[in-house]
Amino acid sequence: MANYEVTITDGVGSRTMNLGTYTVSATSAPGYDLSTLTPTSYTVDATSQTGAFTLSANGTLTINFNETGEAGGIPITAGSVAMTNSTGETQYGTVTQIDTNGVATFNNVPYGSAQAPYTLYFKQLTSDATHNIYPGVFMVNMGAQTQTKYVQNTPITSLQNFTLTDANYTDLPINSATLSFAENA
Amino acid sequence: MFHQPYILHIYSSRAPYQLTILTCNNQVLQKITVLSPCTKICLCTNDRHVKLIAQAGNQTLFRAINLCCNFFHHLWVDLYFPQSQVSITLNDANYDLPIANATLNFQGVN
């Protein structure tokens, strides 16, 4: 019986095959669970054709969006983020919401090892009302099944101009003074 | 009856396959399973023409053979079963993300 190996690069491959029905299996796919290949049967007919297959992974990525981009930073309270290609122009999957703790969770992501991680790209689409989104695309090297990433969202700032004048002599500027602004809890 | 022995040298692009040799009147002269792409069949018949039917998987090829054309009683037959160009896509099931590197194995079942 005919037996073919098809190499897949960046999601595509091709081969000339005898007509007939085949049992299909994944023999290599770093980052993915080979047992999840779908479909596992394929029939080649007389016309040129395209066979679409999928694999699933079981890694989990937790992304924390906060003001410092490190553990312990003040988190944002809303927003959205998506998995993309390296340029951010193509989105993969659905947009994921950032919760009130600044956390977005991506399940079923591919992963490798510390020595050979699987690289994924993401783009933040929105933040909350008082923070800026992370500019551009950020990369995550999934080197373990469960991983956490911190991403910085700087607070939105606005230049304010103040005047301080004498209350009794209109428009008399006060020579020197210091005002303190403490944010309300 | 005068039987002319002929040697059919058959090359097939796929094996194994089922080979049936018939007279023009559809009388079966031989019916065999050929395991090798290259094979020789000794054929004794008084017919001038025979028909070959080669079946592999869901493909069937037909050949008409004129036995009188070859003075040396050896005939060479090529059986080319059509192939098809297949393009494969492999994406992440959850994110529709093209999978960077993988190898798929296709094992024929018929």
Side-chain angles (χ1 to χ4, degrees):
Chain A
M1 299 299 170
N3 187 350
Y4 302 100
E5 294 266 322
V6 180
T7 299
I8 302 296
T9 303
D10 293 331
V12 295
S14 65
R15 187 69 190 264
T16 301
M17 299 184 189
N18 289 338
L19 277 61
T21 299
Y22 296 83
T23 297
V24 190
S25 60
T27 57
S28 171
Y32 286 87
D33 183 349
L34 301 183
S35 69
T36 63
L37 182 71
T38 302
T40 56
S41 178
Y42 188 75
T43 298
V44 179
D45 61 27
T47 59
S48 295
Q49 58 196 114
T50 299
F53 295 82
T54 63
L55 279 170
S56 290
N58 54 20
T60 300
L61 172 65
T62 302
I63 306 178
N64 291 270
F65 294 84
N66 61 33
E67 292 186 356
T68 62
E70 299 174 354
I74 298 173
I76 66 173
T77 59
S80 58
V81 58
M83 183 186 295
T84 68
N85 64 348
S86 60
T87 65
E89 295 174 351
T90 302
Q91 288 186 7
Y92 299 120
T94 57
V95 175
T96 297
Q97 298 302 309
I98 302 170
D99 66 17
T100 56
N101 297 312
V103 176
T105 302
F106 287 82
N107 294 310
N108 297 111
V109 296
Y111 65 95
S113 63
Q115 295 75 28
Y118 201 101
T119 301
L120 298 171
Y121 299 94
F122 298 85
K123 184 174 182 179
Q124 186 179 5
L125 305 177
T126 59
S127 187
D128 61 21
T130 59
H131 292 86
N132 299 301
I133 65 171
Y134 183 87
V137 173
F138 61 91
M139 180 174 70
V140 177
N141 287 319
M142 286 292 296
Q145 186 172 10
T146 303
Q147 196 154 313
T148 299
K149 170 78 173 178
Y150 291 91
V151 176
Q152 185 180 30
N153 276 200
T154 58
I156 295 175
T157 58
S158 174
L159 180 63
Q160 304 294 303
N161 295 308
F162 302 96
T163 60
L164 184 61
T165 56
D166 190 298
N168 297 290
Y169 293 92
T170 305
D171 293 334
L172 171 66
I174 295 174
N175 285 342
S176 177
T178 300
L179 300 179
S180 174
F181 294 81
E183 185 175 7
N184 295 333
Chain B
M1 296 284 281
F2 179 73
H3 295 270
Q4 298 277 4
Y6 296 96
I7 305 297
L8 298 182
H9 303 262
I10 302 177
Y11 167 78
S12 173
S13 66
R14 62 185 295 183
Y17 61 96
Q18 307 295 318
L19 180 65
T20 305
I21 304 175
L22 308 98
T23 68
C24 290
N25 296 325
N26 295 321
Q27 177 187 356
V28 176
L29 296 174
Q30 285 195 40
K31 188 170 185 177
I32 57 173
T33 297
V34 180
L35 301 178
S36 172
C38 297
T39 190
K40 288 190 295 187
I41 306 278
C42 182
L43 189 64
C44 291
T45 178
N46 207 33
D47 293 279
R48 288 187 164 200
H49 298 86
V50 295
K51 296 188 293 188
L52 301 187
I53 301 176
Q55 294 173 293
N58 57 356
Q59 293 179 282
T60 302
L61 298 183
F62 299 92
R63 288 289 184 275
I65 307 297
N66 185 345
L67 298 177
C68 297
C69 290
N70 192 297
F71 180 79
F72 297 103
H73 301 162
H74 287 258
L75 295 94
W76 282 262
V77 181
D78 292 331
L79 299 174
Y80 284 105
F81 290 89
Q83 293 185 314
S84 186
Q85 179 73 19
V86 179
S87 298
I88 302 295
T89 64
L90 182 61
N91 290 330
D92 186 299
N94 297 286
Y95 294 96
D96 205 25
L97 167 72
I99 293 177
N101 295 290
T103 302
L104 299 183
N105 176 266
F106 289 74
Q107 177 67 51
V109 295
N110 60 12

